[in-house]
Amino acid sequence: MNSIAVQITNFLKEYVPFNRLNTEELGEIASSIRVLNLEKNKTLFKINDPLHDSFYVVASGLVNLSIISDAEETILTKCHEGTIFGLRPFFAKNNYIMTAKAREESVVYAIPIAVFRPFVASNPDVLNLLLENFSVDKRNAGDNENFENNLISENSIFTGQQNGMQFFQNLSFNTNPLITSGNTVIKEVAQLMAENRMNNALICEKNIPVGIVTDMDMSSKIATGRFPISDSVDAIMSYPVITVSENVSLAEAQLMMLKHNVTHLCVTIDGSDKTEIKGIITEHDLILAQANNPGVLIKEIKRSQNASELKQIRRRLADIIQSSIQKNIPLTHISNIASEVNFAILKRAVEQSILELGSPPARFAWFSVGSQARKEQLLLTDQESFLVFEDVVPEKYKAVKDYFVELAQKTTAKLEKVGYVICPNGHIASNMIWCKSVSDWLKQFESWMKNPGEKNNQISSIFFDYEIIFGDQRIEEALNSIVFENTTNNTLLYDFLGNDALRTNSPLSFFKKFLVEEEGPFKDKFDIKTRALLPLIDGARMFTMSFGIKGINNTYVRFKQLAITDPKHAEIYLDCADAYLTLTKFRTLEGIKNDDNGQFINIEELSKIDREKLKNALAPMKELEDLIKHKFQLTQFS
């Protein structure tokens, strides 16, 4: 390796994603790099330029990325030393949508994509770093946030959040591809592709893929005169076809295309070229999937201007949830993604309201409650919230409270437009009762916990499942202090909460039949929320509070932590954790099917296997009930 290559190698290994490669690999890449010296104001590429065969790293100096907005050039980001940019040729075929111009005299390394591609194809970690936030959706071009990382494409900026989303994200693809036989004349195939507006055709024998022809084959082999148009299509087809299974993820598909240097993947029953065709995945499908990346959704949420835009994003989240469940992606992973997007929507709704109303007159915190706070809201269920503002002098109290009530009213109205219906019990920040100062809330929580049951219509156990969405973290810490101070040795509280939890009717009859609704609009349906999920949620909350476990709201995670904290009863907790996931999946699927909150399930519509799965998931509830009675010495419902 020559001295320049050594110098480049030593430079690259300090930066993501090159630090994921070994010295030998970096040396091979460095040996093929072109060093570009850019004078001040020199343009490397501009909007609508054809894509280059390289991407770039700033070795020294400063390069600006800009777009044309409102007839003016708007700088999106400044690329300093170590910043990667120009990744577009990796993931798209259309021209650049940004301009790269040297802000000062700069040195830039041009890394040939053909050289770098094999290292990406053999290293999923590097691919995920490059792919993480790439989207050709032009709305992503307007991100003006400050980022600390060094990966920048012309579309979006890498945020450094390594969460593996790409390896779980689902792909939509054409399930009705154009299929022909190898002896079909090329001219006929070209006509079929044109008539069907497709850029590819699969060549099959008995619905088994043997080859593929694309518009690129037509232009490079037919238009150039290498093959006559009267030949059979098997003369120009590419083979063997690269095949994948229908549950392939976005990252896996991208990896396969990079590894085999192809633009199409054939989907078959088992992912091999020995089984029947299920569809075709194109580069365009990957681009569309990238636009629905949860990370991209969050960026769009941050730039949204109104409730209508938030509603469209929430609908796209629903599609991600549905497709992820269908792919049998772990429910815990789906919940994590959904909660991040939900939290971003809630936060943005507050921000939009502040922009409309003006700056707050005091510090405050907006809290979500219940399923949102527990990160369990996969369906569009009630919005439950409360608002806490800092203590102010008495003469300012009314004006300050009036501001925050109005802020809450604007925010909850926006969220209602998004699809989060207002809690029917009034547990909502726009209700004056749930919008108070820090001192008032501390008194309220202390009253609820020291005198539970005095005002049944106002106390609710969900108020021990809260999560700050927006505002001053110190306010949350103040609430936490009063809550956990009053959970210690509070026999009266646990007696009330325990009996309240045990008051729920059993989900099964003595003869192991599902107890369904006897009247009303949901007659003969099973209330999976009230009879099955809430007892588990209540039980997990009670035990977590009693053991002083802080910072965990999610029911599944609570049971997992309880198994560690109380190993004597670990088996019960772990069974309850599994049961909770199973029941949640049943409810979510029911909600998706009926476009509602999934609370009531038609048992008759379930298969025999699913009915047994549902019954088995209810089994741990009796053991949990007995454990609650024993732990908190409850006798009323024994």
Side-chain angles (χ1 to χ4, degrees):
M1 195 165 30
N2 60 45
S3 59
I4 295 177
V6 171
Q7 182 182 342
I8 293 173
T9 298
N10 290 334
F11 174 85
L12 292 179
K13 69 183 182 182
E14 298 298 321
Y15 298 98
V16 174
F18 307 107
N19 59 0
R20 308 300 171 92
L21 302 173
N22 60 43
T23 303
E24 185 180 339
E25 290 171 328
L26 285 176
E28 186 176 337
I29 293 166
S31 299
S32 65
I33 283 177
R34 289 179 293 120
V35 180
L36 306 179
N37 294 291
L38 304 181
E39 298 176 0
K40 183 179 179 180
N41 295 325
K42 173 72 174 178
T43 297
L44 184 58
F45 56 78
K46 61 180 184 295
I47 297 169
N48 289 327
D49 274 358
L51 300 182
H52 297 180
D53 60 2
S54 301
F55 66 100
Y56 303 98
V57 183
V58 178
S60 64
L62 179 65
V63 175
N64 287 348
L65 295 183
S66 62
I67 60 170
I68 302 298
S69 177
D70 298 327
E72 293 184 4
E73 186 176 42
T74 301
I75 295 174
L76 293 181
T77 192
K78 298 176 180 181
C79 305
H80 299 272
E81 181 178 310
T83 301
I84 290 176
F85 66 98
L87 287 171
R88 189 171 183 76
F90 256 113
F91 306 110
K93 297 301 180 187
N94 44 338
N95 297 345
Y96 287 108
I97 64 169
M98 290 190 185
T99 293
K101 182 188 292 186
R103 177 66 181 83
E104 58 189 50
E105 200 170 298
S106 304
V107 176
V108 172
Y109 294 150
I111 304 177
I113 287 173
V115 173
F116 196 68
R117 189 186 298 273
F119 298 105
V120 177
S122 61
N123 192 324
D125 197 23
V126 173
L127 170 65
N128 212 29
L129 284 166
L130 295 180
L131 183 62
E132 182 80 27
N133 276 347
F134 184 86
S135 169
V136 297
D137 188 331
K138 294 185 180 179
R139 285 170 293 184
N140 294 331
D143 207 327
N144 284 307
E145 298 176 37
N146 295 317
F147 292 88
E148 299 177 350
N149 296 279
N150 71 309
L151 278 174
I152 300 175
S153 78
E154 302 80 85
N155 295 74
S156 57
I157 301 175
F158 177 76
T159 64
Q161 295 176 348
Q162 280 306 100
N163 48 26
M165 286 180 184
Q166 301 284 353
F167 282 95
F168 291 93
Q169 191 173 339
N170 198 56
L171 270 174
S172 296
F173 56 86
N174 180 12
T175 57
N176 189 29
L178 186 58
I179 296 175
T180 188
S181 61
N183 57 11
T184 307
V185 176
I186 293 172
K187 181 179 179 180
E188 292 179 17
V189 176
Q191 288 173 337
L192 283 171
M193 288 169 62
E195 289 168 4
N196 289 277
R197 296 183 179 181
M198 291 186 181
N199 65 3
N200 65 87
L202 287 170
I203 318 304
C204 303
E205 292 179 2
K206 297 180 180 178
N207 213 31
I208 305 296
V210 295
I212 185 172
V213 62
T214 68
D215 53 2
M216 185 63 71
D217 294 315
M218 293 292 183
S219 59
S220 65
K221 298 174 184 178
I222 303 302
T224 57
R226 289 172 56 196
F227 294 87
I229 202 166
S230 57
D231 272 5
S232 58
V233 73
D234 57 4
I236 65 166
M237 71 181 186
S238 300
Y239 64 92
V241 181
I242 307 304
T243 56
V244 293
S245 62
E246 60 183 317
N247 65 350
V248 66
S249 70
L250 170 58
E252 290 164 339
Q254 184 74 60
L255 195 63
M256 292 293 283
M257 286 189 184
L258 286 169
K259 184 175 182 179
H260 297 283
N261 196 24
V262 297
T263 57
H264 296 74
L265 300 172
C266 180
V267 181
T268 61
I269 291 175
D270 66 358
S272 76
D273 59 2
K274 307 299 181 188
T275 54
E276 291 190 359
I277 292 168
K278 298 283 287 184
I280 187 86
I281 296 173
T282 67
E283 281 188 318
H284 181 66
D285 296 324
L286 300 190
I287 288 168
L288 290 177
Q290 288 156 8
N292 271 340
N293 179 300
V296 171
L297 295 188
I298 289 174
K299 284 189 173 186
E300 291 185 18
I301 289 167
K302 290 178 179 178
R303 289 191 296 273
S304 66
Q305 299 300 311
N306 52 56
S308 296
E309 292 179 12
L310 291 176
K311 183 175 183 177
Q312 292 303 317
I313 295 168
R314 184 58 181 79
R315 283 177 176 171
R316 287 161 62 190
L317 172 63
D319 293 339
I320 292 174
I321 292 170
Q322 182 173 357
S323 60
S324 298
I325 288 176
Q326 289 171 346
K327 282 186 65 180
N328 289 319
I329 290 171
L331 204 62
T332 51
H333 186 84
I334 301 172
S335 295
N336 287 338
I337 291 175
S339 65
E340 290 301 318
V341 177
N342 276 324
F343 279 16
I345 289 173
L346 300 174
K347 182 179 179 182
R348 186 56 183 163
V350 177
E351 290 172 342
Q352 288 178 5
S353 299
I354 291 174
L355 289 172
E356 294 172 11
L357 198 57
S359 299
R363 291 179 300 175
F364 77 102
W366 181 285
F367 292 88
S368 249
V369 183
S371 62
Q372 281 181 342
R374 293 193 303 270
K375 300 183 179 180
E376 295 167 359
Q377 193 180 53
L378 294 175
L379 300 165
L380 276 168
T381 55
D382 298 352
Q383 54 164 308
E384 297 173 296
S385 59
F386 64 97
L387 188 149
V388 187
F389 55 88
E390 68 177 335
D391 291 329
V392 294
V393 293
E395 55 267 28
K396 289 185 177 181
Y397 183 89
K398 184 180 184 303
V400 170
K401 179 160 183 172
D402 286 347
Y403 171 92
F404 285 115
V405 169
E406 188 176 355
L407 175 69
Q409 288 171 345
K410 282 183 175 290
T411 302
T412 53
K414 286 180 184 293
L415 293 173
E416 192 172 18
K417 288 179 182 177
V418 174
Y420 302 97
V421 298
I422 289 176
C423 174
N425 297 320
H427 299 157
I428 197 80
S430 55
N431 180 345
M432 292 185 68
I433 298 174
W434 308 118
C435 180
K436 303 179 182 180
S437 67
V438 172
S439 293
D440 287 345
W441 270 117
L442 294 180
K443 290 174 185 175
Q444 180 68 80
F445 269 82
E446 190 165 33
S447 172
W448 277 336
M449 300 182 79
K450 285 186 174 179
N451 306 292
E454 277 190 0
K455 295 181 180 179
N456 276 350
N457 62 326
Q458 291 188 7
I459 185 170
S460 174
S461 57
I462 63 169
F463 274 84
F464 305 110
D465 294 343
Y466 56 82
E467 183 77 22
I468 188 169
I469 296 297
F470 184 97
D472 195 322
Q473 203 76 36
R474 287 170 295 182
I475 292 177
E476 183 183 37
E477 292 168 4
L479 288 184
N480 290 343
S481 296
I482 200 73
V483 168
F484 284 98
E485 178 184 318
N486 282 283
T487 55
T488 306
N489 300 320
N490 191 338
T491 306
L492 190 62
L493 174 67
Y494 291 115
D495 184 66
F496 174 80
L497 293 179
N499 282 311
D500 191 51
L502 296 176
R503 195 172 282 115
T504 304
N505 293 328
S506 171
L508 298 175
S509 70
F510 180 79
F511 298 103
K512 304 300 180 185
K513 299 283 187 182
F514 289 101
L515 290 175
V516 297
E517 300 300 292
E518 296 181 355
E519 55 187 20
F522 302 105
K523 189 175 184 296
D524 297 327
K525 290 189 176 182
F526 178 66
D527 185 349
I528 194 170
K529 175 186 175 181
T530 306
R531 291 183 182 272
L533 286 166
L534 282 182
L536 291 173
I537 292 167
D538 291 342
R541 180 193 303 110
M542 281 186 65
F543 282 111
T544 301
M545 289 167 62
S546 70
F547 283 111
I549 299 171
K550 300 180 181 180
I552 300 177
N553 284 346
N554 183 267
T555 301
Y556 174 80
V557 180
R558 278 173 167 170
F559 278 126
K560 286 286 193 178
Q561 183 59 48
L562 286 166
I564 297 170
T565 306
D566 183 19
K568 181 180 177 182
H569 303 108
E571 188 175 348
I572 295 175
Y573 297 131
L574 294 175
D575 286 345
C576 287
D578 291 340
Y580 180 79
L581 290 184
T582 301
L583 294 167
T584 299
K585 188 170 183 178
F586 270 105
R587 181 183 180 182
T588 305
L589 289 172
E590 189 74 14
I592 290 170
K593 182 177 71 175
N594 299 317
D595 194 24
D596 60 17
N597 64 14
Q599 180 171 347
F600 295 93
I601 291 181
N602 190 333
I603 299 296
E604 297 303 316
E605 290 181 359
L606 297 179
S607 67
K608 184 177 180 181
I609 293 175
D610 281 343
R611 282 198 294 270
E612 288 304 310
K613 281 183 182 177
L614 185 53
K615 277 186 183 179
N616 290 338
L618 300 174
M621 291 175 60
K622 182 65 172 73
E623 291 181 303
L624 181 66
E625 181 182 313
D626 291 340
L627 191 59
I628 290 173
K629 291 176 182 176
H630 173 74
K631 166 75 175 176
F632 302 106
Q633 299 180 344
L634 303 176
T635 58
Q636 181 178 342
F637 291 92
S638 299

